[in-house]
Amino acid sequence: MSEPTTLFSGPAAPRPPAMTRLFGDRPVPWSLLLVVALPTLLAAVYFLLIASPRYVSEARFIVRAAAQPQPSSVGVALQGVGLSPVQTDAFAVHDWMRSRDAVTELAARANLEAVLGAPGADPFSRWPRLGEGRTTEGLHRAFRRFVTVGYDSTTGISVLRVEAYDPEDSRRLAEALLQGGERLVNRLNERAAADAVAEGARAVDEAEARLAAVQGRLTAFRNRERFIDPQGAAEAGTQLITALSTQLATLRADRAQLAAEAPQSPQLPSLDGRIAALSRQIAAERAKIAGEADSLAPRVSAYEDLVLERQFADRQLAEATTALVEARQEARRQALYLERVVGPGLPDEATRPRRWRAVLIVFVGALMIWAIGRLLVAGLREHRQAA
C-alpha cells in the first residue's frame, strides 16, 4: 500500500493580525474593539460616572395679536400638509431667547456665568469646558447648549426648556428669558404703533398749522377792514336797498296817481323831493356795496376766500384726526402679546443627561460605522481580486 503524497510542507499559515480570540475559538476583529467597544466604554464611563445631573425647567407660551384672524377651511387644510403661514412674531422671540442679547441680559440679571460654570460640574459640559476660553463667544455657545426653544405649528405653542445644574437656577433662567421675551414684544408693539401713527400725527400737525395760519390771516383782515363779517354787511346793505326801492316805487306810484287826478296839487313838489332823496340814498348804498374802490365787493370776495380756505383747513384737520384715531385703534388691534400657557416650574428630579440612552446611541452609532466600514473594505478586496 503506497504512502500518501504530501502536496505542501512547511510551517502552518499564521492567523490574520487583525483578529483575536474571545469566548473560546470565535475570533473578534480588533476593529470592532477599537470602533465600537472602546467608544461605548468611554461613553459609559462618562455618562454613568462623570456627567453631572442637570435639571430642566420647561415653560410654554404663545405669541399672538389682540385681533388674530381665524384661519379659513383652506388655511386649515394647508396647515395639515405643512404649508401653514410662518409665525414670524413667535420666531423673533425664539431667536432672541438664544441670541447674544439674551446672554448679555442674563449675565447682568441672573448671573449666567455662575449658573453655567457651577462648581463641581463635570468639565465636559460646564462653561468653560475643556478647550473653551472664558470669552463672550464661548459663553454664548455654552448658553445654546443649555437652552432650547421649540414651536408646535399645529397648536401655535412655543416650548422653552432651560437646563442647569441646580433646579432653582433652571427655573430662574427660564423666568428671566420669558420676561425678556415680553419686553421684546413690548418693544415691537411700540415700534409698530409709532410707525403706524407717525404719518397720521404728521398730517394732523400740518392741518393744525394750516388752520392756524388761515385763522391768523382772517383775524388780520377783520382788524384791517374793521368788519367782523363783510358778507353780512353786504347782505344788510342789500336788504336796505330793497326796502328803499320799495318805498321809492310806492312814492312814484302815489305821485303818478296824484298828478293824474290833480296836476296842480301842492303835494307834487314834496313827493318829487322825497323821490329824489330816496334815489340818491339808493345810489349811495349801491356804491357802498359795489362799483367803488372802497366798496364791499372786493372785501367780500377776499373774505369769502379766507372763509373757504378755513373751511377746507377745518375739514382737512377733521379727516387727519379721524385717520390718526383709526391708526391708533388698528395699532392696538395688531398689538402682540406673549401669554404664558405654562409657567416655568421648579424641577425636583434631574432628567439630563439621559445616561443609558446616550450610551446606547453611542453604541449603535459606532456599530453602524464599523459595519459600513467592513462593507467598504470587503468591497475593495473583491474589486482587487476581480482586477
Side-chain angles (χ1 to χ4, degrees), residues 32-49 355-368 370:
L32 180 65
L33 298 178
L34 293 176
V35 177
V36 180
L38 182 60
T40 303
L41 177 62
L42 295 177
V45 171
Y46 171 72
F47 285 107
L48 300 179
L49 301 177
R355 303 178 187 274
W356 288 108
R357 179 181 178 181
V359 174
L360 181 61
I361 290 174
V362 172
F363 171 73
V364 173
L367 186 61
M368 293 178 63
W370 177 79

Side-chain angles (χ1 to χ4, degrees), residues 27-224:
V28 177
W30 281 104
S31 59
L32 180 65
L33 298 178
L34 293 176
V35 177
V36 180
L38 182 60
T40 303
L41 177 62
L42 295 177
V45 171
Y46 171 72
F47 285 107
L48 300 179
L49 301 177
I50 300 176
S52 300
R54 299 193 299 272
Y55 297 85
V56 181
S57 179
E58 182 176 292
R60 297 175 181 268
F61 63 92
I62 59 175
V63 178
R64 66 176 184 87
Q68 186 171 359
Q70 296 294 330
S72 62
S73 57
V74 177
V76 174
L78 292 178
Q79 289 181 4
V81 297
L83 298 177
S84 59
V86 179
Q87 300 294 327
T88 56
D89 300 325
F91 293 159
V93 176
H94 295 181
D95 289 343
W96 181 87
M97 287 182 172
R98 293 171 58 82
S99 66
R100 290 173 176 80
D101 291 341
V103 171
T104 302
E105 186 170 326
L106 291 179
R109 294 176 177 268
N111 197 9
L112 181 63
E113 297 181 359
V115 172
L116 301 187
D122 70 89
F124 298 99
S125 64
R126 71 182 182 187
W127 176 80
R129 62 184 178 182
L130 294 178
E132 193 173 57
R134 286 186 171 272
T135 61
T136 304
E137 201 63 34
L139 181 62
H140 180 242
R141 288 194 296 268
F143 173 76
R144 294 175 70 91
R145 296 198 305 268
F146 286 82
V147 176
T148 58
V149 187
Y151 181 79
D152 189 345
S153 59
T154 304
T155 61
I157 297 177
S158 302
V159 181
L160 170 65
R161 294 185 180 92
V162 179
E163 301 179 15
Y165 300 106
D166 182 79
E168 179 60 30
D169 288 340
S170 64
R171 187 200 65 80
R172 187 160 48 88
L173 286 182
E175 179 66 28
L177 285 174
L178 286 176
Q179 293 178 0
E182 292 173 353
R183 287 190 292 270
L184 173 64
V185 169
N186 292 335
R187 289 196 300 270
L188 294 176
N189 289 335
E190 292 174 359
R191 181 175 300 176
D195 294 342
V197 304
E199 183 65 23
R202 185 184 62 82
V204 170
D205 293 339
E206 291 179 354
E208 289 178 346
R210 181 174 183 179
L211 179 60
V214 173
Q215 189 64 40
R217 293 200 302 272
L218 185 59
T219 302
F221 173 83
R222 286 170 173 170
N223 292 332
R224 183 177 65 254

